[in-house]
Amino acid sequence: MKYRHHDIDIPNDHPFANCKLNRKPNAEVLTQIVQNYADGFVLSINGEWGTGKTTFMKMWAAYLKQQHINSIYFNAWENDFISDPMVAILGELKQLTTSKVESTLNTILDIGSKIAIKTIPALAKGIVKHYYGDDLAEVIQNTLNAGSDIFKTEIIEYEDKKKNLETFKVELQTYVNETNPDHPLIFIVDELDRCRPDYAVEVLERIKHFFSIKGIVFVLSIDKEQLCNSIRGYYGSDRINAEEYIRRFIDVEYLLPNPNIESYCTYLYEYFEIKDFFNQKERSQYKFSNDEYSLLKIAVEIITAQNYSLRQIEKLFAHFRLILCSCKCNQNVLPVLTFMLICIRTTSHIYYRKIVNKQLSLDDLAQLINNVFPNHIFDSPSEHERPLSMWGLGQLFYHYSISFTTYTHTIDPIKTDPQTGKPSLTFKINNIDHDMLARTIYDCGKVHIQSSIWKSIIRSIDLLNPIEE
């Protein structure tokens, strides 16, 4: 039984064989770009966290190698424990080394080590505090003398480092030409936005100052917004124009397209074997035949409207599968209501607990719905057609209301006109068809008469019921 989505297998001979997001065409376009602009530039692939960037980058790296184009995949986040990213970048380049170019690489490493050594810092800012008092004048004099010596030393080192940098780039150019005679070297830097802010900035600086040569194309896989936050954090100011700062390093920006949500939901539905539960022979004798359709439709409606990331979608389906593990084959799981409750639990856990603990009035619940879900998902496509999300909303108000029922107390979400028999709401909810919701709640009362359904669903969502399979 699968309770989480594992990393996708990437076969070397067919890297996109298991891609469920149809992203091979994106890789083909990007490959054309990096081949046609091989003089050396930096390409960013932008996408929010959880949109599948890392999987795509790994697939593309394998695809490039399949096309006989050297590529290096470097996960910056996994390597930000290294003090200087230049060490990591040169270490990755070493994997291309053959006996023919080994001496060239050794020269690069030798020169690079001289450039990377940081100048001895001046006296720490806190030193005066440490010595303040009678010795303050002496400390200041020593600081001035030391500063003068350091200044002279830095001028000499500046000239040396400048010459070394020129030599470094010449040797690096030779190395790249010899290891990649026909195509550019594609150096993919992934998860830069998840690194320590200082490390992320240093990676950008190293790429710009040391590795901007003909024949190397750097590809930065980033969440631009998060990387901007890292830059602001590094410089300790929200006023810095982080986007303009990033543009200094990036020549071409590529926005990773959003996947087809319906296809991805269908894939997860099968991956987590939800289909196996719904298609059990024992369930065929009950009126649960629409469960598969209902779950997929409500999932696509809500996920599309909420713009959930792929990682969030995976967690929603994984949680739904866990719920089914505690359900009997003859049990009505109300997939639409259950999925909506999972979404509320994910979006607003505090208010979900208030629902479970029956701490919300119907008006409070209505306000919560307005805050959590876009109202347009409850709009009817036609006068006589009721959207599935409206049915789920009706189930929510109906079952929440009857969960209050005791011998002495009831809460009724609707009241019926004694003359016309038309139901109407007893609470206020904004921007939603009141008449349709009232009729839906009324119909739920005719279909779902078991008060135990609500309790069972809540316990399953909170993983409190015993596992049945």
Side-chain angles (χ1 to χ4, degrees):
M1 186 60 60
K2 299 172 183 175
Y3 295 141
R4 63 181 294 268
H5 191 266
H6 297 281
D7 291 341
I8 294 175
D9 181 47
I10 304 175
N12 291 329
D13 57 341
H14 194 352
F16 287 90
N18 298 319
C19 178
K20 306 302 179 181
L21 306 176
N22 191 32
R23 282 179 168 168
K24 184 178 179 181
N26 304 121
E28 293 171 341
V29 170
L30 288 169
T31 301
Q32 292 176 336
I33 291 174
V34 297
Q35 284 186 295
N36 291 333
Y37 299 91
D39 284 347
F41 72 106
V42 178
L43 165 72
S44 72
I45 297 181
N46 185 28
E48 295 179 358
W49 283 353
T51 54
K53 292 193 307 297
T54 292
T55 300
F56 173 73
M57 302 311 294
K58 290 179 178 179
M59 288 181 174
W60 185 32
Y63 175 80
L64 288 168
K65 291 181 179 180
Q66 188 188 37
Q67 304 301 311
H68 307 292
I69 301 174
N70 272 336
S71 67
I72 293 175
Y73 174 83
F74 172 65
N75 190 308
W77 182 50
E78 292 178 353
N79 291 276
D80 71 352
F81 63 90
I82 299 174
S83 60
D84 192 327
M86 190 168 177
V87 174
I89 294 174
L90 288 173
E92 294 295 335
L93 283 175
K94 191 174 181 180
Q95 64 180 271
L96 303 176
T97 304
T98 62
S99 57
K100 180 181 177 181
V101 296
E102 187 173 3
S103 61
T104 304
L105 178 64
N106 289 334
T107 301
I108 293 171
L109 295 178
D110 180 58
I111 299 172
S113 65
K114 295 176 182 177
I115 300 173
I117 294 175
K118 298 178 180 179
T119 305
I120 299 173
L123 294 176
K125 294 178 181 179
I127 198 169
V128 174
K129 287 186 178 181
H130 182 72
Y131 286 101
Y132 89 81
D134 295 336
D135 297 328
L136 181 59
E138 181 181 352
V139 171
I140 292 175
Q141 183 62 48
N142 290 339
T143 301
L144 291 174
N145 293 337
S148 176
D149 293 338
I150 290 173
F151 183 71
K152 293 176 183 178
T153 302
E154 285 189 350
I155 291 176
I156 297 171
E157 288 185 350
Y158 166 76
E159 291 296 329
D160 291 340
K161 286 190 175 184
K162 187 175 180 181
K163 292 177 182 178
N164 283 332
L165 179 58
E166 293 174 357
T167 306
F168 176 85
K169 287 191 172 183
V170 170
E171 294 293 334
L172 183 60
Q173 183 73 70
T174 301
Y175 179 78
V176 170
N177 290 341
E178 290 178 350
T179 55
N180 301 270
D182 302 319
H183 300 285
L185 168 63
I186 314 302
F187 199 113
I188 298 172
V189 180
D190 192 18
E191 302 212 87
L192 187 61
D193 44 75
R194 298 182 67 184
C195 296
R196 302 189 324 265
D198 59 321
Y199 190 83
V201 171
E202 287 184 6
V203 169
L204 293 173
E205 296 284 355
R206 294 295 187 268
I207 290 174
K208 177 179 175 60
H209 296 301
F210 299 104
F211 297 93
S212 57
I213 65 169
K214 182 178 180 180
I216 297 184
V217 175
F218 277 91
V219 180
L220 309 180
S221 174
I222 60 173
D223 179 333
K224 191 174 181 179
E225 182 178 350
Q226 296 300 328
L227 185 56
C228 285
N229 290 336
S230 293
I231 291 169
R232 295 187 191 100
Y234 176 75
Y235 287 103
S237 173
D238 290 333
R239 299 179 64 183
I240 185 173
N241 190 333
E243 288 199 22
E244 188 60 36
Y245 177 88
I246 291 175
R247 290 192 188 99
R248 293 171 46 206
F249 304 95
I250 296 172
D251 301 299
V252 179
E253 294 187 33
Y254 183 87
L255 183 62
L256 194 63
N258 291 327
N260 183 290
I261 295 301
E262 185 173 356
S263 298
Y264 194 61
C265 287
T266 302
Y267 158 68
L268 292 176
Y269 176 80
E270 296 176 354
Y271 178 87
F272 286 110
E273 301 171 358
I274 298 172
K275 185 175 184 177
D276 294 346
F277 178 87
F278 284 156
N279 290 341
Q280 293 179 84
K281 290 182 179 180
E282 292 84 351
R283 287 182 68 84
S284 61
Q285 58 185 303
Y286 304 99
K287 296 180 180 179
F288 303 142
S289 58
N290 289 329
D291 280 359
E292 177 177 350
Y293 166 82
S294 299
L295 173 62
L296 287 174
K297 186 171 177 58
I298 194 62
V300 171
E301 285 183 4
I302 293 178
I303 289 167
T304 302
Q306 299 287 69
N307 195 30
Y308 285 135
S309 70
L310 300 184
R311 188 171 292 119
Q312 288 173 317
I313 299 171
E314 289 173 8
K315 291 185 180 298
L316 291 174
F317 273 86
H319 196 102
F320 193 91
R321 187 60 184 97
L322 275 171
I323 291 170
L324 295 184
C325 290
S326 63
C327 296
K328 295 182 171 64
C329 65
N330 64 344
Q331 187 172 335
N332 190 349
V333 297
L334 300 182
V336 177
L337 172 60
T338 300
F339 194 83
M340 290 179 70
L341 284 170
I342 297 174
C343 291
I344 294 173
R345 187 177 189 265
T346 302
T347 306
S348 181
H349 189 267
I350 293 176
Y351 280 98
Y352 170 79
R353 296 316 312 172
K354 289 185 177 182
I355 291 175
V356 172
N357 295 327
K358 295 181 282 191
Q359 295 174 330
L360 299 178
S361 67
L362 294 183
D363 287 308
D364 292 335
L365 181 58
Q367 183 61 52
L368 173 62
I369 294 301
N370 285 139
N371 293 339
V372 172
F373 298 108
N375 292 325
H376 69 80
I377 69 171
F378 303 109
D379 293 342
S380 176
S382 67
E383 183 179 353
H384 303 290
E385 186 176 353
R386 181 160 47 196
L388 193 61
S389 52
M390 177 62 78
W391 186 251
L393 190 59
Q395 291 176 339
L396 175 60
F397 278 98
Y398 172 77
H399 285 284
Y400 181 71
S401 298
I402 64 172
S403 70
F404 281 89
T405 300
T406 64
Y407 290 110
T408 60
H409 180 70
T410 60
I411 293 181
D412 200 338
I414 57 174
K415 58 183 178 181
T416 305
D417 187 296
Q419 296 182 343
T420 64
K422 180 181 177 181
S424 61
L425 300 178
T426 61
F427 57 93
K428 295 180 180 179
I429 187 166
N430 297 327
N431 304 316
I432 290 177
D433 189 323
H434 287 194
D435 290 339
M436 180 172 288
L437 179 56
R439 290 197 305 272
T440 304
I441 296 173
Y442 177 79
D443 291 341
C444 287
K446 293 190 297 184
V447 176
H448 307 301
I449 57 175
Q450 295 176 308
S451 60
S452 60
I453 293 180
W454 172 264
K455 183 178 180 180
S456 177
I457 288 176
I458 293 297
R459 286 183 58 83
S460 292
I461 291 175
D462 289 341
L463 307 181
L464 298 177
N465 284 336
I467 300 299
E468 294 290 336
E469 54 177 81

